[in-house]
Amino acid sequence: MQAVRGKNADVVEYTVTSAAGEPIFKAAKYYGFRNIQNLVRRLKPARPSRMPGGKAFGTARKPAGKAGGLEYGYVEVMACPGGCTNGGGQIKVDDQIILDRKGISGKPGPLEQKQWLAEVDEAYFSADDSDAENGHGSEINSAETDLVDGISPSYIRDTLLHWARTTGIDLDRLVYTSYREVVSDVGKDKTTDTERVVQLAGKIGGGW
């Protein structure tokens, strides 16, 4: 399999080739809204020209002999640049706990955010490797009886504890989340009881 990086690290194309070097399957990942927009533009089919003999729109710059559009069999798309570990639900480098832990004074910049994201990725992707090295993998596999709807609570607890130790963030803070309820009147009937009585009286020919 060949992996080719695009214009930035959030765009990567993967190609599975045969022994003769012929492409068998193509896939890609596009992270971030800007990259997704570029992907959608490239996926749009060419529009036919209304002029006799004119070329279809979107094909003027394509090399001769190449078909328009992309030929991906699968595309992974995420709105967050950098993927899930850089999502809105993750702890950012400007969180006060992270600032105190790293001794950062002032507002952190893109470099600090990039370094913090690398640490989060390391903590996220290193859980399975560390378990295998420490011989914990067999313990997890042997605890298959500890399942609730196919999910092992002990495995989840071990994973969260691993993340807490790796990031140095207390578990209560690491897994804490919150939400803000949005109250909307869209689609709701705002008619008061008095207005309903007036409307009903008008329908039956009466009034006030």
Side-chain angles (χ1 to χ4, degrees):
M1 183 176 67
Q2 300 175 352
V4 179
R5 174 176 168 172
K7 294 182 178 180
N8 52 66
D10 285 340
V11 177
V12 181
E13 295 184 351
Y14 304 92
T15 305
V16 178
T17 58
S18 63
E22 296 293 332
I24 301 175
F25 179 81
K26 292 186 67 176
K29 72 172 186 179
Y30 282 76
Y31 295 166
F33 275 118
R34 181 174 299 178
N35 292 323
I36 294 175
Q37 289 175 348
N38 293 334
L39 171 66
V40 172
R41 293 191 187 102
R42 296 176 64 187
L43 289 175
K44 286 184 178 179
R47 293 180 297 172
S49 174
R50 296 182 180 179
M51 300 297 294
K55 293 183 178 180
F57 292 97
T59 61
R61 297 184 179 181
K62 290 185 174 61
K66 288 192 176 181
L70 301 177
E71 298 179 354
Y72 292 139
Y74 176 84
V75 180
E76 182 183 55
V77 176
M78 293 188 185
C80 302
C84 286
T85 51
N86 194 32
Q90 303 291 347
I91 297 178
K92 301 297 183 181
V93 69
D94 56 358
D95 189 280
Q96 191 59 46
I97 294 180
I98 306 302
L99 296 177
D100 296 341
R101 173 191 169 196
K102 293 184 170 295
I104 300 176
S105 59
K107 185 177 181 180
L111 178 60
E112 288 78 12
Q113 175 62 27
K114 184 177 181 180
Q115 293 173 346
W116 170 246
L117 181 59
E119 292 185 28
V120 176
D121 285 336
E122 176 65 22
Y124 183 81
F125 292 108
S126 64
D128 293 338
D129 295 338
S130 62
D131 288 339
E133 293 174 0
N134 298 331
H136 295 162
S138 59
E139 297 178 6
I140 295 176
N141 293 333
S142 62
E144 293 181 354
T145 56
D146 179 25
L147 297 178
V148 178
D149 293 333
I151 301 175
S152 172
S154 60
Y155 177 78
I156 295 176
R157 286 194 298 269
D158 292 342
T159 302
L160 292 176
L161 288 173
H162 170 77
W163 289 350
R165 289 193 298 266
T166 304
T167 59
I169 301 174
D170 186 70
L171 188 60
D172 293 337
R173 174 65 176 170
L174 184 65
V175 300
Y176 175 78
T177 185
S178 62
Y179 77 98
R180 182 180 62 183
E181 183 179 2
V182 179
V183 180
S184 175
D185 293 331
V186 176
K188 296 181 179 179
D189 187 5
K190 302 179 183 179
T191 307
T192 63
D193 293 339
T194 303
E195 292 173 341
R196 291 193 186 94
V197 172
V198 173
Q199 292 175 1
L200 181 60
K203 290 180 180 179
I204 62 177
W208 293 95

